[in-house]
Amino acid sequence: MSYIPVIGLEIHAELSTHSKVFCTCGAQFGGQENTRCCPRCAGLPGTLPVVNKGVVEYAVRAGLALGCRINLLSSFDRKNYFYPDLPKAYQITQMERPICTDGLVEVEGGPVRINRIHIEEDAGKLIHDDMEGVSLADYNRCGVPLIEIVTEPDIKTAEQAKNLVEEIARRLKYAGVCDAKMEEGSLRCDVNISIMPQGAKEYGTRAEIKNLNSLKSIGRAINYEIKRQSALLDAGKPVIQQTRRYNDNHDRTTALRSKEEAHDYRYFPEPDILPVQLSEEEVRRIADGMPEMPASRIQRYETRYGLSHADALLLTSERPLADFYEAAVACHPNYQSVAAFMVGELLRRLNDRGLAPEEIPFTPVQFAQLVKLSDGGQVARNDAKALLNLLFDAPGDPQELAESRGYLINTDPQALAAAVDGVLKENPKAVAEYRQGSAKVFGFLMGQAVKKIGRGADPKAVKTLLEQKLKEVDG
Ligand code: ADP
Ligand code: ZN
Ligand code: MG
């Protein structure tokens, strides 16, 4: 029998604030173990947490990026649990009154509603040493600010879930609140999944798969669960409400604990922290500082700039890239040609050199000037590519670079004629073949002539002259 999957995600995103959420310890990834913790993030008796205002602002930015309502009043709660990754034995989170609610994110596969976004603190990390039979605790991550993004169960396929995580990651990066590196754990995902028969009115019993840290494992875990749960229902057995773990190596999920064994978190209002009260003005100020989100840029690039959907997607995939493009077209508003040179040439070179878009060593204006030289016929297309390589190594003014390195189109008719004549003379066999009707060799002769002229050869002029001279030979 075929079933309809029902999927909801809980996404944990580490906020990239300088310091932790309730103390002034650094919040950066890594570092020598246990060097970024203080009595406050260890929750020692007598210490008091103070809310980092930057964290509140980042959470609001995240909410705005995901189309949420921002709640002017939110508050913190204690979630009690005893596990060695958390020295306080409780986590400060927002249970009753989260900072953001009711968002919506459009992705391929259908829109997904966001139920809530709340602020909480991360726990430490345990390193299990099987050789020694011990577990070591690193508390640097304790108190690193997190937001948890909870979706409604609107997702129906693994593909849609992956699209959503990708889109949320992109928006958080655009908003500048999270670097969304799944491999470093700054974005982690729990998947809730159930299935129900076609036409059913009620959701089935769900399993929750914890802590997925790549798009690939999100997709594979979902597909595995759909199969596992379908087989259970087909066999007339119930799905048990469980927390499960996905194992990459074996491509399967295994049970961690069932509902009966679930923790009782005994939530209660955090007595040491006052509720967070925002004003309309503060929220408006934060909203005014938000950048344009990718979806709206994609639309603008397609409708106003006439780019293909594929190019618009590529150019907006990362904000520094989109910003670079916009700064370049502000200088040389040939939207399609700048886009083509970026997608076709610049991106490949970034990839080859292992550079991120924010590491491009020249300015968007310099890039635009280079495209302009090529569009204006002052530099041949191939030479523009060579100049782009030069820009990477010695960023500077493309006009000057083209002049000093001899890349400006060579307009000397005598030099051109000498080169073409020389090629015809040196290649009598090819010329003869051409005369016998083999058009193929034209390209070869072209190539020889362009090579002879070297930098600054103008393929168009070479082509015209070569055609003309071959006719003369013909006649
Ligand atoms: P809890 O309070 O038990 O954590 P929530 O209502 O907060 O449950 O839901 C947690 C996540 O589980 C949300 O992402 C939600 O969309 C998802 N979810 C809820 N019910 C189901 C279901 N029957 N099938 C799949 N996902 C579900
Ligand atoms: Zn601290
Ligand atoms: Mg929940």
Side-chain angles (χ1 to χ4, degrees):
M1 190 168 165
S2 87
Y3 302 93
I4 301 170
V6 173
I7 304 162
L9 303 182
E10 292 163 284
I11 299 170
H12 285 95
E14 275 179 5
L15 299 178
S16 41
T17 51
H18 183 70
S19 44
K20 291 186 178 180
V21 53
F22 301 123
C23 66
T24 54
C25 292
Q28 298 74 26
F29 175 74
Q32 171 77 45
E33 288 80 0
N34 297 310
T35 54
R36 291 183 194 145
C37 21
C38 67
R40 234 192 266 169
C41 51
L44 295 191
T47 58
L48 286 174
V50 175
V51 179
N52 177 346
K53 283 213 177 75
V55 169
V56 174
E57 172 157 351
Y58 275 37
V60 170
R61 290 176 74 87
L64 293 170
L66 303 183
C68 290
R69 188 176 69 219
I70 308 301
N71 298 316
L72 297 181
L73 183 74
S74 66
S75 59
F76 289 93
D77 300 279
R78 267 188 203 186
K79 177 179 181 177
N80 295 280
Y81 75 85
F82 183 71
Y83 196 68
D85 62 358
L86 188 78
K88 289 212 294 266
Y90 62 85
Q91 180 191 33
I92 304 178
T93 179
Q94 297 188 307
M95 164 75 173
E96 287 296 332
R97 284 182 294 190
I99 187 149
C100 311
T101 41
D102 299 322
L104 187 76
V105 179
E106 302 270 354
V107 288
E108 214 178 310
V112 178
R113 289 167 299 156
I114 304 294
N115 172 286
R116 58 191 277 147
I117 301 178
H118 60 259
I119 300 171
E120 57 189 30
E121 58 182 334
D122 210 345
K125 232 188 264 178
L126 296 180
I127 300 128
H128 304 290
D129 185 338
D130 292 338
M131 301 284 279
E132 300 282 338
V134 295
S135 290
L136 303 167
D138 175 11
Y139 291 146
N140 283 354
R141 205 175 63 182
C142 283
V144 166
L146 288 180
I147 47 172
E148 180 174 340
I149 301 162
V150 183
T151 81
E152 296 293 346
D154 292 344
I155 304 160
K156 289 177 195 68
T157 63
E159 218 37 56
Q160 190 187 3
K162 289 199 286 184
N163 291 341
L164 179 70
V165 174
E166 247 186 324
E167 178 63 16
I168 288 178
R170 184 158 43 231
R171 292 196 194 185
L172 295 180
K173 284 204 273 185
Y174 262 71
V177 300
C178 171
D179 61 16
K181 291 183 183 160
M182 292 194 91
E183 67 285 2
E184 284 186 3
S186 60
L187 196 83
R188 318 189 281 270
C189 188
D190 300 343
V191 171
N192 296 272
I193 172 164
S194 63
I195 57 171
M196 57 183 190
Q198 301 272 358
K201 294 248 156 21
E202 270 179 42
Y203 291 156
T205 307
R206 71 184 140 120
E208 178 177 12
I209 308 147
K210 282 282 188 198
N211 258 323
L212 296 162
N213 54 12
S214 75
L215 286 179
K216 195 170 145 203
S217 37
I218 291 171
R220 292 172 69 170
I222 289 175
N223 285 329
Y224 178 85
E225 270 304 302
I226 293 174
K227 263 192 263 154
R228 184 185 71 88
Q229 295 184 14
S230 301
L232 281 174
L233 295 194
D234 282 346
K237 293 181 191 156
V239 172
I240 303 165
Q241 187 166 344
Q242 274 175 336
T243 304
R244 300 178 71 85
R245 184 207 327 256
Y246 175 72
N247 183 316
D248 265 313
N249 298 331
H250 300 107
D251 186 23
R252 56 183 302 211
T253 65
T254 48
L256 272 177
R257 55 178 179 265
S258 69
K259 200 182 179 192
E260 292 74 51
E261 306 158 69
H263 296 131
D264 176 5
Y265 293 121
R266 295 176 294 118
Y267 282 98
F268 64 85
E270 167 59 53
D272 289 339
I273 303 176
L274 286 174
V276 175
Q277 179 73 60
L278 291 164
S279 67
E280 300 271 6
E281 289 68 45
E282 279 171 293
V283 175
R284 203 171 310 129
R285 179 185 58 77
I286 297 171
D288 286 344
M290 291 287 287
E292 188 185 5
M293 285 292 127
S296 131
R297 292 195 195 203
I298 289 171
Q299 207 189 6
R300 187 157 52 86
Y301 292 6
E302 286 183 67
T303 55
R304 286 243 309 271
Y305 300 168
L307 304 193
S308 69
H309 185 61
D311 283 358
L313 271 183
L314 260 177
L315 292 177
T316 54
S317 60
E318 293 187 58
R319 185 177 159 200
L321 210 56
D323 288 347
F324 189 94
Y325 173 68
E326 291 183 24
V329 293
C331 164
H332 177 48
N334 190 340
Y335 303 111
Q336 299 183 20
S337 137
V338 172
F341 208 56
M342 266 186 84
V343 170
E345 304 300 328
L346 180 60
L347 289 188
R348 183 156 48 81
R349 283 167 179 76
L350 288 180
N351 200 27
D352 289 348
R353 288 163 194 253
L355 292 178
E358 58 269 32
E359 295 168 327
I360 299 174
F362 42 87
T363 66
V365 169
Q366 289 168 337
F367 181 78
Q369 284 165 341
L370 175 59
V371 180
K372 204 169 169 181
L373 284 175
S374 159
D375 287 348
Q378 287 137 285
V379 161
R381 197 70 178 171
N382 265 327
D383 285 344
K385 295 176 193 172
L387 278 167
L388 182 57
N389 291 337
L390 283 179
L391 270 189
F392 269 99
D393 301 322
D397 175 30
Q399 173 82 36
E400 277 170 26
L401 209 57
E403 266 173 36
S404 67
R405 307 280 183 123
Y407 281 110
L408 286 183
I409 290 259
N410 187 341
T411 49
D412 176 6
Q414 274 171 350
L416 189 61
V420 171
D421 286 340
V423 167
L424 293 182
K425 213 161 154 192
E426 287 157 25
N427 297 283
K429 227 177 106 197
V431 173
E433 278 173 39
Y434 182 80
R435 281 158 100 195
Q436 279 151 22
S438 164
K440 265 200 325 229
V441 294
F442 187 81
F444 166 74
L445 292 169
M446 258 299 283
Q448 293 297 309
V450 166
K451 211 160 117 193
K452 213 177 201 38
I453 299 165
R455 290 180 187 175
D458 176 3
K460 262 191 238 135
V462 173
K463 182 165 179 268
T464 313
L465 189 64
L466 188 61
E467 280 169 348
Q468 197 187 323
K469 296 250 175 193
L470 279 167
K471 265 200 203 114
E472 284 168 18
V473 176
D474 263 351

